[in-house]
Structure formats: structure tokens, C-alpha cells
Amino acid sequence: MHQNEHSFDPHPTASAITDSRGSYDERLNHILTAATAAMARLGYAKASMREVAKAAGVSLAGLYHYFDSKERMLFLIQFRAFGSLLNNLREKLCGVDDPQDQLRVMVREHLAYFAANMGALKVCSHELDSLTGSAYDETRDIRYEYYGVTRRIIDRLLDARGGMAHTDRHVATMALFGTLNWLYRWYDPRRGPSVSTVANQIADQFLQGLLGVPASENESTQETVP
Amino acid sequence: MHQNEHSFDPHPTASAITDSRGSYDERLNHILTAATAAMARLGYAKASMREVAKAAGVSLAGLYHYFDSKERMLFLIQFRAFGSLLNNLREKLCGVDDPQDQLRVMVREHLAYFAANMGALKVCSHELDSLTGSAYDETRDIRYEYYGVTRRIIDRLLDARGGMAHTDRHVATMALFGTLNWLYRWYDPRRGPSVSTVANQIADQFLQGLLGVPASENESTQETVP
DNA sequence: ATAAATCGAGCGAACGTTCGTTCGTCTATA
DNA sequence: TATAGACGAACGAACGTTCGCTCGATTTAT
């Protein structure tokens, strides 16, 4: 039996044997994309399997060849999104040593991923408690790793320079995550200011709020990605 | 017919004529409290009327003497919470002229209300899109007023002192709301640092991030409420 | 080479359950 | 006696899921 092993896109090329019109993985991704859009629009509970099937262009029963349950569908969406978010962050953090630069990279990459996958990140932010059992545990573990990477940057920031005296580092980290995870409620990259503008402002405000130093000007105008 | 007029607690005393064991308003508030808890725990869609009835100690059909629909129940929860949040803020802002003090008051009062009504604020933050039609419009209007009060404080902050050069004020406001509205995901006032500690840190970080000046020490250790 | 068997993919139809809501009735109070 | 409050029972609709089947392509056996 197939029963999707959830690897988050090791390499997009050469993923399947068959082709011509839609391999197994391609069809799975297609359905997952439709499901993500439906769940982002209606929420997990109200996005029915019938809606997803209609949007994906398959029958209701056909869905169950790819996912043994609705919850597993949500799990795959969250697992892949969180996974690639975390992998991408670790990758982009390689070779960056200054904690201030690291935090700017974190904010910039988070917003870049948000802009490229708004639906998926909305589902990730809004449906954190919709999974149960081991599926919940697995996504929680990834989220905690993502938190840990960010938290360690903040630790280094406050250890290096004194910063404010009595700063609870958990509160500081969650304040930043609050700003980032709330983006899906109001920010539309196609309408508002550019992704890099918002990313720079959020990073500047956070760094200045944490350390009390003005934003370094050399980073503020840097583009998002080469 | 009664059909609840939604006034958000003009004065808690002398609200009804009858008493002895539960007036109409008292029973309505009792049910609303149970509904708030259930919706905070399970989410609006998964919190069934049967669950609410059981938690409130009334029959399923008995609920419909107080609310003509499930959606109206959610509306009343949100309308009252947003309404008292806004009214309380405006009240506490009276006589406070310095914009920095105003922002500290806003953050402090928001956290105080959060600590006192965690379930209601969770429902308000998490179920923003669960209302439809005029019910949605009405809560959106209140939310926009709440935004406006905060936004005007931030405008005054940036107009008075220069602050950073290119600050998008909408982005700055939503960054703060993100931090505040995300609280329900991680902060438990009974376990973590005190409400005033968290409020002071959030306000300090935000003010310093916006204006680039260290936090004024006289306000940082002030208690939450007399 | 051809027939038989196997398999993946997909579908219509239905299953049992749960949902929000309504109806008719009972009861206590005024 | 009239009325507000509360209830059990039931309604139709929608839900996630499963069942039995079909249709091609691929593999195996003859």
C-alpha cells in the first residue's frame, strides 16, 4: 500500500516513475493544494471532504485513496509547511554569525514563506489544535524546534549586548511569534507594502525594542532573496 | 418576546426585576459563560449546542429560549467582550495625556482583561470569521474602533518624537495587535510571569522599538489596577 | 503471442452519526 | 386562567467514512 510517507520535498525532480498525465505524487500534491485553499478559506472544521473533492476535481471516495482520513490531510498540510519552513530557515542561517543578522534572516524568511504560501501558513497558524494524538505531537515537535532556533537567536542577542535589564526571553520570543503568526489576519503581500519592507520594519522594531539600539542601516535596504 | 438586546453590562446591579433564584439576565449570562468556555476549548464549529446545554445545566431545547441560533450566541459573546474591552479602554484613557502613558495603559488594560476573561478573548481572537452578515459587520465595527484608538496613540507617538524614519504605522499597529492577540496561545497568567510584568515588557519593547528610547523607569514598576 | 490474473485508480451510493433547529407539551407562577 | 420557562422527542440536512464495483494498464502463465 502507498499511504503517503510525509517527506517534505527532498528534491522536487525525479519523484516518481510514471508520468504522462499526473503521477501519484503530483495528484496528491494537487489535492493537497486544493485542500489547503479550502481549509484556509473555511477553516478545518467547516471545509468538508465534499468541498475538497469538488475543488480538486475528484470524487468524494477518490480522496480516500490518498488520505485515510480528513485529519491526516490536515496533518500533511501542516507537517510539510512547518517542515519546509524550518528546513529553509536552517539553510538560510548557515554562515550567518551575527545574531542581529540571524534575526533579520529569520523574519525575512518567515515573511517570504508566508507570501509564497499564504494558505498553508494560515492553516498552520489557525488550526494548531485541530490535530489529535500522535499527529498533534509530531507537528508540535517541529513547532518547538522552530521556536528553539528563534529562541537561541534571542538568547545570543541578549547575551552579547546587555539589552534591557529584566527581559523575559520567552515573553520576548512569543511577542515576535505573535506578530508573525498574526500576519495572515491582515497582511496581503499583493496589496500592502512589499514583503521586504514589512520584514525590515518588524525586524527593526523588534531588535530596537529588545536591545535599544537603532537599526543597522546596511541591512535595512537589502533585498529578500538573491 | 424577550430576544436579548445586546447591551454590554451598563451597570451590573439592578439589571432585572425578578430574582430569588436566577433572573432572565442572570440565566442568560450563566449560559453565555458556559458557551464561552466550551467554544474556547473546542472552537466554535465543534462546540455543539448539546455540549453547551450540558455544561450550562439546561436542556438542548431550553437554549433556544435565550438565543435564536448558535451564531447569535457567538455574536453575543464577541459583542460583549469587544464592547467592554473598548469601553474600559476609553474609560481608563481619560485624563492620560502623554502618548507613551496612553500606550502603556492600552497594553496593561488589554492584558488585565485577557487575564480576567481568557475564554472570551480566545473566542474573540480565534473566531473572527465565524460570524456572517450583519452580525459580522457589527463586531467588525467595534474591532475597528478598538484599532482606531490604538492607531491614534501610535500616530501621536510618532508625531511627537521623530521615531524611526520610515515607519508604516499600520504595520506597527498590527505588529502590536499580533503580539496581544496571540497571547491566548501561550500565556497563562496563573502559571507564567505576572500580568503586569508581561504588560510592562510588551509595552517597553514596543515603545523602544518604535521610538528608540529606553523605557521610562517610573512606569515600569507600576501596579495594574488600584 | 495470447489469455488470465493482478493491481492501482477512481467512482456512485449508501452507511451510521451528529448537527442545529423546531414542535408540542408540561409545569409553576402571577 | 394565562403566560413564561423548560423539556423530551423528533426533524431534515450534512458530515466523515466505507462498501462494492468498474475500468485500464501491467504482469504473469501458458
Side-chain angles (χ1 to χ4, degrees), chain B residues 7-24:
Chain B
S7 60
F8 33 87
D9 204 38
H11 278 300
T13 29
S15 57
I17 303 104
T18 71
D19 51 338
S20 81
R21 264 307 137 200
S23 68
Y24 176 90

Side-chain angles (χ1 to χ4, degrees), chain A residues 157-177:
Chain A
L157 275 168
L158 288 173
D159 287 339
R161 342 209 11 181
M164 298 191 307
H166 324 294
T167 299
D168 187 308
R169 297 171 177 198
H170 181 57
V171 172
T173 310
M174 293 314 291
L176 177 60
F177 274 122

Side-chain angles (χ1 to χ4, degrees), chain A residues 24 27 50 58-59 61 65-66:
Chain A
Y24 177 90
R27 286 198 175 259
R50 286 166 178 82
V58 298
S59 71
H65 272 275
Y66 296 92

Side-chain angles (χ1 to χ4, degrees), chain B residues 140-141 191:
Chain B
R140 179 181 41 96
D141 290 346
R191 272 185 249 285

Side-chain angles (χ1 to χ4, degrees), chain B residues 11-64:
Chain B
H11 278 300
T13 29
S15 57
I17 303 104
T18 71
D19 51 338
S20 81
R21 264 307 137 200
S23 68
Y24 176 90
D25 287 350
E26 279 167 348
R27 284 193 179 263
L28 188 143
N29 286 331
H30 171 71
I31 297 175
L32 229 39
T33 301
T36 301
M39 289 182 181
R41 187 163 45 90
L42 304 166
Y44 172 71
K46 296 215 138 145
S48 69
M49 295 297 265
R50 287 164 177 83
E51 277 269 343
V52 172
K54 194 167 297 181
V58 298
S59 71
L60 175 61
L63 285 183
Y64 286 85

Side-chain angles (χ1 to χ4, degrees), chain A residues 58-141:
Chain A
V58 298
S59 71
L60 176 60
L63 285 184
Y64 287 85
H65 272 275
Y66 296 92
F67 319 95
D68 55 14
S69 73
K70 184 187 183 186
E71 187 171 353
R72 175 146 193 96
M73 226 170 66
L74 175 61
F75 168 76
L76 283 178
I77 293 171
Q78 291 202 358
F79 189 86
R80 289 173 177 219
F82 279 131
S84 52
L85 195 61
L86 177 61
N87 276 355
N88 176 69
L89 176 58
R90 284 185 165 140
E91 195 176 300
K92 294 298 192 334
L93 239 31
C94 280
V96 180
D97 292 326
D98 179 36
Q100 288 202 37
D101 292 342
Q102 289 177 334
L103 190 115
R104 285 181 201 282
V105 167
M106 184 269 170
V107 172
R108 180 201 307 150
E109 291 303 320
H110 190 101
L111 259 88
Y113 191 89
F114 169 79
N117 305 79
M118 288 185 60
L121 264 202
K122 171 164 183 176
V123 170
C124 284
S125 294
H126 196 259
E127 309 291 350
L128 284 177
D129 299 327
S130 298
L131 293 177
T132 64
S134 61
Y136 174 81
D137 293 340
E138 241 176 299
T139 56
R140 179 181 41 95
D141 290 346

